[in-house]
Amino acid sequence: MEKLNFTLGAVRNLRSSVRQCFEKLADGSPEQNEENNAKFLLEFQENFSDINHQIKELEGVINSLQVPPAPYYLGNTTYLAQETTQDRQALYSQLVHDHSLLAYNNLNVNSLRRSYIYNSQKRGRVQCSTCNTPDPDEISHPNTTYKVCRPFGSSAVVVITISHVLKAALVCKGVLIEWVSVKGFDEHIDFDDLFAESRYAVFRKVQENTQAAMLHFFSPTLPDLAIKSYMAWFHSYSRLFVEPCKRCGKFLANGLPPTWRDLRTLEPYHEECKN
């Protein structure tokens, strides 16, 4: 148990060091000159070396761990093992088994996990599904391009470029959309951080509306029809900056164009005018 606690402490220290390293890297050098840049680079190299040293130490500690001869201690639940009733005596060992099984399943079911290296007790069966990733050739709209890539393995990302207006990344599991990221046409889509928002307020608002529409068009029974309908609705943003609001007739309201599209008619509305 002491080795296990020491290992957990090493993991916490490593995570803390990595977090501090990336925080300093995100803050950057306070003043942009050669002396400060050289000092900043030297500090980053030292932090990076410390992280590599901690990783090697952690690997050594993990390799020295042994399989525990008895179940792990789960707090006050150990008192269940002292039950005198016959049908309750095996409850504690069953809880330990269920806890381990639940933790194993939670680590393995997430298709967007950062690492695909995990142990399995038996050979996995090839899973068949009638829902495939949408084919860009089957979905076509004027002045819009669709590109499918798989930076996360099984989960596909559909990159949409609408004319010279915007870019979007749709994270799909099969043909079910799980996340939408919208950026300006001049912005870069970073697959390592699809949750990063656009630096433009108009596209941040468009992203909110596209995620709301994603829930509206969700249909697990008719996924192909759902994603085609969603793509047709999404394409209505091709005239984001040239169409006035259907209700007030103005192009701008609070400095923004009509960022909402009606889910049926695809007509543009300002946020203040859609209700």
Side-chain angles (χ1 to χ4, degrees), residues 15-39:
R15 294 181 62 182
S16 178
S17 299
V18 172
R19 180 179 59 83
Q20 293 177 3
C21 181
F22 278 100
E23 285 180 353
K24 293 181 179 178
L25 185 62
D27 294 338
S29 179
E31 296 182 3
Q32 297 298 328
N33 54 60
E34 294 184 0
E35 182 179 355
N36 288 334
N37 290 340
K39 182 179 179 181

PDB file of all heavy atoms in Angstrom, residues 15-39:
ATOM      1  N   ARG A  15       1.573  15.437 -13.055  1.00  0.00           N
ATOM      2  CA  ARG A  15       0.482  16.224 -13.646  1.00  0.00           C
ATOM      3  C   ARG A  15       0.623  17.695 -13.282  1.00  0.00           C
ATOM      4  O   ARG A  15       0.368  18.580 -14.109  1.00  0.00           O
ATOM      5  CB  ARG A  15      -0.863  15.677 -13.166  1.00  0.00           C
ATOM      6  CG  ARG A  15      -1.183  14.284 -13.661  1.00  0.00           C
ATOM      7  CD  ARG A  15      -2.513  13.800 -13.182  1.00  0.00           C
ATOM      8  NE  ARG A  15      -3.593  14.635 -13.677  1.00  0.00           N
ATOM      9  CZ  ARG A  15      -4.883  14.438 -13.371  1.00  0.00           C
ATOM     10  NH1 ARG A  15      -5.239  13.439 -12.593  1.00  0.00           N
ATOM     11  NH2 ARG A  15      -5.801  15.230 -13.864  1.00  0.00           N
ATOM     12  N   SER A  16       1.017  17.972 -12.048  1.00  0.00           N
ATOM     13  CA  SER A  16       1.205  19.360 -11.635  1.00  0.00           C
ATOM     14  C   SER A  16       2.339  20.022 -12.417  1.00  0.00           C
ATOM     15  O   SER A  16       2.221  21.171 -12.852  1.00  0.00           O
ATOM     16  CB  SER A  16       1.482  19.421 -10.133  1.00  0.00           C
ATOM     17  OG  SER A  16       1.723  20.747  -9.720  1.00  0.00           O
ATOM     18  N   SER A  17       3.436  19.290 -12.614  1.00  0.00           N
ATOM     19  CA  SER A  17       4.568  19.850 -13.358  1.00  0.00           C
ATOM     20  C   SER A  17       4.195  20.124 -14.808  1.00  0.00           C
ATOM     21  O   SER A  17       4.563  21.158 -15.376  1.00  0.00           O
ATOM     22  CB  SER A  17       5.762  18.891 -13.289  1.00  0.00           C
ATOM     23  OG  SER A  17       6.184  18.694 -11.950  1.00  0.00           O
ATOM     24  N   VAL A  18       3.446  19.198 -15.418  1.00  0.00           N
ATOM     25  CA  VAL A  18       3.023  19.384 -16.814  1.00  0.00           C
ATOM     26  C   VAL A  18       2.092  20.587 -16.930  1.00  0.00           C
ATOM     27  O   VAL A  18       2.205  21.397 -17.856  1.00  0.00           O
ATOM     28  CB  VAL A  18       2.354  18.104 -17.339  1.00  0.00           C
ATOM     29  CG1 VAL A  18       1.735  18.350 -18.713  1.00  0.00           C
ATOM     30  CG2 VAL A  18       3.362  16.973 -17.421  1.00  0.00           C
ATOM     31  N   ARG A  19       1.167  20.723 -15.971  1.00  0.00           N
ATOM     32  CA  ARG A  19       0.237  21.849 -16.005  1.00  0.00           C
ATOM     33  C   ARG A  19       0.991  23.176 -15.877  1.00  0.00           C
ATOM     34  O   ARG A  19       0.726  24.128 -16.625  1.00  0.00           O
ATOM     35  CB  ARG A  19      -0.787  21.712 -14.883  1.00  0.00           C
ATOM     36  CG  ARG A  19      -1.805  22.857 -14.834  1.00  0.00           C
ATOM     37  CD  ARG A  19      -2.794  22.648 -13.708  1.00  0.00           C
ATOM     38  NE  ARG A  19      -2.120  22.574 -12.434  1.00  0.00           N
ATOM     39  CZ  ARG A  19      -1.736  23.620 -11.712  1.00  0.00           C
ATOM     40  NH1 ARG A  19      -1.962  24.847 -12.180  1.00  0.00           N
ATOM     41  NH2 ARG A  19      -1.140  23.471 -10.543  1.00  0.00           N
ATOM     42  N   GLN A  20       1.913  23.256 -14.941  1.00  0.00           N
ATOM     43  CA  GLN A  20       2.686  24.488 -14.764  1.00  0.00           C
ATOM     44  C   GLN A  20       3.531  24.800 -16.002  1.00  0.00           C
ATOM     45  O   GLN A  20       3.659  25.961 -16.397  1.00  0.00           O
ATOM     46  CB  GLN A  20       3.586  24.359 -13.534  1.00  0.00           C
ATOM     47  CG  GLN A  20       2.824  24.286 -12.217  1.00  0.00           C
ATOM     48  CD  GLN A  20       3.744  24.082 -11.032  1.00  0.00           C
ATOM     49  OE1 GLN A  20       4.969  24.048 -11.186  1.00  0.00           O
ATOM     50  NE2 GLN A  20       3.175  23.937  -9.844  1.00  0.00           N
ATOM     51  N   CYS A  21       4.082  23.761 -16.627  1.00  0.00           N
ATOM     52  CA  CYS A  21       4.904  23.964 -17.825  1.00  0.00           C
ATOM     53  C   CYS A  21       4.076  24.553 -18.955  1.00  0.00           C
ATOM     54  O   CYS A  21       4.493  25.513 -19.616  1.00  0.00           O
ATOM     55  CB  CYS A  21       5.535  22.643 -18.245  1.00  0.00           C
ATOM     56  SG  CYS A  21       6.599  22.757 -19.706  1.00  0.00           S
ATOM     57  N   PHE A  22       2.882  24.016 -19.159  1.00  0.00           N
ATOM     58  CA  PHE A  22       2.042  24.522 -20.242  1.00  0.00           C
ATOM     59  C   PHE A  22       1.457  25.895 -19.916  1.00  0.00           C
ATOM     60  O   PHE A  22       1.203  26.693 -20.822  1.00  0.00           O
ATOM     61  CB  PHE A  22       0.925  23.521 -20.547  1.00  0.00           C
ATOM     62  CG  PHE A  22       1.364  22.387 -21.433  1.00  0.00           C
ATOM     63  CD1 PHE A  22       1.675  21.153 -20.896  1.00  0.00           C
ATOM     64  CD2 PHE A  22       1.488  22.572 -22.795  1.00  0.00           C
ATOM     65  CE1 PHE A  22       2.102  20.121 -21.712  1.00  0.00           C
ATOM     66  CE2 PHE A  22       1.907  21.543 -23.625  1.00  0.00           C
ATOM     67  CZ  PHE A  22       2.221  20.311 -23.085  1.00  0.00           C
ATOM     68  N   GLU A  23       1.224  26.171 -18.642  1.00  0.00           N
ATOM     69  CA  GLU A  23       0.760  27.504 -18.270  1.00  0.00           C
ATOM     70  C   GLU A  23       1.839  28.551 -18.582  1.00  0.00           C
ATOM     71  O   GLU A  23       1.532  29.628 -19.121  1.00  0.00           O
ATOM     72  CB  GLU A  23       0.401  27.533 -16.786  1.00  0.00           C
ATOM     73  CG  GLU A  23      -0.920  26.849 -16.460  1.00  0.00           C
ATOM     74  CD  GLU A  23      -1.222  26.905 -14.977  1.00  0.00           C
ATOM     75  OE1 GLU A  23      -0.338  27.349 -14.192  1.00  0.00           O
ATOM     76  OE2 GLU A  23      -2.339  26.506 -14.587  1.00  0.00           O
ATOM     77  N   LYS A  24       3.087  28.249 -18.247  1.00  0.00           N
ATOM     78  CA  LYS A  24       4.169  29.181 -18.568  1.00  0.00           C
ATOM     79  C   LYS A  24       4.344  29.317 -20.077  1.00  0.00           C
ATOM     80  O   LYS A  24       4.621  30.398 -20.599  1.00  0.00           O
ATOM     81  CB  LYS A  24       5.473  28.707 -17.926  1.00  0.00           C
ATOM     82  CG  LYS A  24       5.473  28.774 -16.398  1.00  0.00           C
ATOM     83  CD  LYS A  24       6.809  28.316 -15.830  1.00  0.00           C
ATOM     84  CE  LYS A  24       6.805  28.399 -14.310  1.00  0.00           C
ATOM     85  NZ  LYS A  24       8.091  27.919 -13.723  1.00  0.00           N
ATOM     86  N   LEU A  25       4.165  28.205 -20.780  1.00  0.00           N
ATOM     87  CA  LEU A  25       4.297  28.245 -22.229  1.00  0.00           C
ATOM     88  C   LEU A  25       3.180  29.080 -22.847  1.00  0.00           C
ATOM     89  O   LEU A  25       3.398  29.803 -23.825  1.00  0.00           O
ATOM     90  CB  LEU A  25       4.271  26.831 -22.796  1.00  0.00           C
ATOM     91  CG  LEU A  25       4.526  26.680 -24.302  1.00  0.00           C
ATOM     92  CD1 LEU A  25       5.919  27.186 -24.651  1.00  0.00           C
ATOM     93  CD2 LEU A  25       4.374  25.227 -24.716  1.00  0.00           C
ATOM     94  N   ALA A  26       1.983  29.003 -22.284  1.00  0.00           N
ATOM     95  CA  ALA A  26       0.864  29.788 -22.807  1.00  0.00           C
ATOM     96  C   ALA A  26       1.035  31.272 -22.513  1.00  0.00           C
ATOM     97  O   ALA A  26       0.672  32.127 -23.337  1.00  0.00           O
ATOM     98  CB  ALA A  26      -0.449  29.287 -22.212  1.00  0.00           C
ATOM     99  N   ASP A  27       1.598  31.600 -21.353  1.00  0.00           N
ATOM    100  CA  ASP A  27       1.821  33.014 -21.009  1.00  0.00           C
ATOM    101  C   ASP A  27       2.902  33.637 -21.891  1.00  0.00           C
ATOM    102  O   ASP A  27       2.820  34.816 -22.233  1.00  0.00           O
ATOM    103  CB  ASP A  27       2.204  33.146 -19.538  1.00  0.00           C
ATOM    104  CG  ASP A  27       1.066  32.745 -18.614  1.00  0.00           C
ATOM    105  OD1 ASP A  27      -0.099  32.782 -19.063  1.00  0.00           O
ATOM    106  OD2 ASP A  27       1.343  32.374 -17.460  1.00  0.00           O
ATOM    107  N   GLY A  28       3.906  32.836 -22.269  1.00  0.00           N
ATOM    108  CA  GLY A  28       4.962  33.333 -23.137  1.00  0.00           C
ATOM    109  C   GLY A  28       5.925  34.261 -22.417  1.00  0.00           C
ATOM    110  O   GLY A  28       5.888  34.458 -21.200  1.00  0.00           O
ATOM    111  N   SER A  29       6.783  34.846 -23.198  1.00  0.00           N
ATOM    112  CA  SER A  29       7.776  35.782 -22.654  1.00  0.00           C
ATOM    113  C   SER A  29       7.126  37.127 -22.365  1.00  0.00           C
ATOM    114  O   SER A  29       6.328  37.616 -23.158  1.00  0.00           O
ATOM    115  CB  SER A  29       8.926  35.961 -23.649  1.00  0.00           C
ATOM    116  OG  SER A  29       9.878  36.880 -23.154  1.00  0.00           O
ATOM    117  N   PRO A  30       7.419  37.747 -21.215  1.00  0.00           N
ATOM    118  CA  PRO A  30       6.769  39.034 -20.872  1.00  0.00           C
ATOM    119  C   PRO A  30       7.111  40.144 -21.849  1.00  0.00           C
ATOM    120  O   PRO A  30       6.268  40.971 -22.170  1.00  0.00           O
ATOM    121  CB  PRO A  30       7.286  39.333 -19.462  1.00  0.00           C
ATOM    122  CG  PRO A  30       8.542  38.536 -19.334  1.00  0.00           C
ATOM    123  CD  PRO A  30       8.342  37.303 -20.165  1.00  0.00           C
ATOM    124  N   GLU A  31       8.331  40.174 -22.334  1.00  0.00           N
ATOM    125  CA  GLU A  31       8.762  41.193 -23.285  1.00  0.00           C
ATOM    126  C   GLU A  31       9.466  40.514 -24.445  1.00  0.00           C
ATOM    127  O   GLU A  31      10.309  39.634 -24.257  1.00  0.00           O
ATOM    128  CB  GLU A  31       9.709  42.201 -22.624  1.00  0.00           C
ATOM    129  CG  GLU A  31       9.049  43.020 -21.509  1.00  0.00           C
ATOM    130  CD  GLU A  31      10.015  44.027 -20.919  1.00  0.00           C
ATOM    131  OE1 GLU A  31      11.163  44.104 -21.420  1.00  0.00           O
ATOM    132  OE2 GLU A  31       9.623  44.710 -19.953  1.00  0.00           O
ATOM    133  N   GLN A  32       9.092  40.935 -25.651  1.00  0.00           N
ATOM    134  CA  GLN A  32       9.639  40.308 -26.848  1.00  0.00           C
ATOM    135  C   GLN A  32      10.980  40.938 -27.222  1.00  0.00           C
ATOM    136  O   GLN A  32      11.048  41.899 -27.973  1.00  0.00           O
ATOM    137  CB  GLN A  32       8.636  40.443 -28.004  1.00  0.00           C
ATOM    138  CG  GLN A  32       7.316  39.726 -27.777  1.00  0.00           C
ATOM    139  CD  GLN A  32       7.503  38.225 -27.629  1.00  0.00           C
ATOM    140  OE1 GLN A  32       8.403  37.638 -28.224  1.00  0.00           O
ATOM    141  NE2 GLN A  32       6.642  37.599 -26.842  1.00  0.00           N
ATOM    142  N   ASN A  33      12.047  40.377 -26.643  1.00  0.00           N
ATOM    143  CA  ASN A  33      13.396  40.744 -27.065  1.00  0.00           C
ATOM    144  C   ASN A  33      14.277  39.509 -26.952  1.00  0.00           C
ATOM    145  O   ASN A  33      13.889  38.486 -26.375  1.00  0.00           O
ATOM    146  CB  ASN A  33      13.959  41.900 -26.233  1.00  0.00           C
ATOM    147  CG  ASN A  33      13.905  41.620 -24.736  1.00  0.00           C
ATOM    148  OD1 ASN A  33      14.506  40.656 -24.256  1.00  0.00           O
ATOM    149  ND2 ASN A  33      13.179  42.447 -23.993  1.00  0.00           N
ATOM    150  N   GLU A  34      15.463  39.576 -27.494  1.00  0.00           N
ATOM    151  CA  GLU A  34      16.312  38.399 -27.587  1.00  0.00           C
ATOM    152  C   GLU A  34      16.716  37.870 -26.208  1.00  0.00           C
ATOM    153  O   GLU A  34      16.741  36.657 -25.975  1.00  0.00           O
ATOM    154  CB  GLU A  34      17.560  38.736 -28.407  1.00  0.00           C
ATOM    155  CG  GLU A  34      17.265  39.039 -29.874  1.00  0.00           C
ATOM    156  CD  GLU A  34      18.541  39.277 -30.659  1.00  0.00           C
ATOM    157  OE1 GLU A  34      19.632  39.191 -30.038  1.00  0.00           O
ATOM    158  OE2 GLU A  34      18.449  39.529 -31.861  1.00  0.00           O
ATOM    159  N   GLU A  35      16.996  38.765 -25.279  1.00  0.00           N
ATOM    160  CA  GLU A  35      17.434  38.324 -23.954  1.00  0.00           C
ATOM    161  C   GLU A  35      16.312  37.593 -23.223  1.00  0.00           C
ATOM    162  O   GLU A  35      16.520  36.510 -22.665  1.00  0.00           O
ATOM    163  CB  GLU A  35      17.898  39.539 -23.140  1.00  0.00           C
ATOM    164  CG  GLU A  35      18.426  39.162 -21.754  1.00  0.00           C
ATOM    165  CD  GLU A  35      18.895  40.371 -20.981  1.00  0.00           C
ATOM    166  OE1 GLU A  35      18.893  41.497 -21.571  1.00  0.00           O
ATOM    167  OE2 GLU A  35      19.262  40.212 -19.803  1.00  0.00           O
ATOM    168  N   ASN A  36      15.095  38.186 -23.217  1.00  0.00           N
ATOM    169  CA  ASN A  36      13.969  37.538 -22.543  1.00  0.00           C
ATOM    170  C   ASN A  36      13.570  36.247 -23.242  1.00  0.00           C
ATOM    171  O   ASN A  36      13.199  35.267 -22.587  1.00  0.00           O
ATOM    172  CB  ASN A  36      12.779  38.493 -22.482  1.00  0.00           C
ATOM    173  CG  ASN A  36      13.002  39.619 -21.497  1.00  0.00           C
ATOM    174  OD1 ASN A  36      13.765  39.471 -20.536  1.00  0.00           O
ATOM    175  ND2 ASN A  36      12.364  40.759 -21.731  1.00  0.00           N
ATOM    176  N   ASN A  37      13.636  36.248 -24.569  1.00  0.00           N
ATOM    177  CA  ASN A  37      13.284  35.028 -25.305  1.00  0.00           C
ATOM    178  C   ASN A  37      14.265  33.909 -24.996  1.00  0.00           C
ATOM    179  O   ASN A  37      13.861  32.740 -24.840  1.00  0.00           O
ATOM    180  CB  ASN A  37      13.263  35.318 -26.802  1.00  0.00           C
ATOM    181  CG  ASN A  37      12.098  36.213 -27.201  1.00  0.00           C
ATOM    182  OD1 ASN A  37      11.118  36.322 -26.469  1.00  0.00           O
ATOM    183  ND2 ASN A  37      12.200  36.849 -28.353  1.00  0.00           N
ATOM    184  N   ALA A  38      15.541  34.229 -24.913  1.00  0.00           N
ATOM    185  CA  ALA A  38      16.533  33.202 -24.585  1.00  0.00           C
ATOM    186  C   ALA A  38      16.338  32.681 -23.162  1.00  0.00           C
ATOM    187  O   ALA A  38      16.447  31.471 -22.908  1.00  0.00           O
ATOM    188  CB  ALA A  38      17.942  33.774 -24.754  1.00  0.00           C
ATOM    189  N   LYS A  39      16.018  33.588 -22.227  1.00  0.00           N
ATOM    190  CA  LYS A  39      15.769  33.167 -20.852  1.00  0.00           C
ATOM    191  C   LYS A  39      14.515  32.302 -20.761  1.00  0.00           C
ATOM    192  O   LYS A  39      14.498  31.284 -20.049  1.00  0.00           O
ATOM    193  CB  LYS A  39      15.625  34.408 -19.968  1.00  0.00           C
ATOM    194  CG  LYS A  39      15.414  34.088 -18.498  1.00  0.00           C
ATOM    195  CD  LYS A  39      15.304  35.367 -17.676  1.00  0.00           C
ATOM    196  CE  LYS A  39      15.057  35.052 -16.213  1.00  0.00           C
ATOM    197  NZ  LYS A  39      14.925  36.283 -15.395  1.00  0.00           N
TER     198      LYS A  39
END
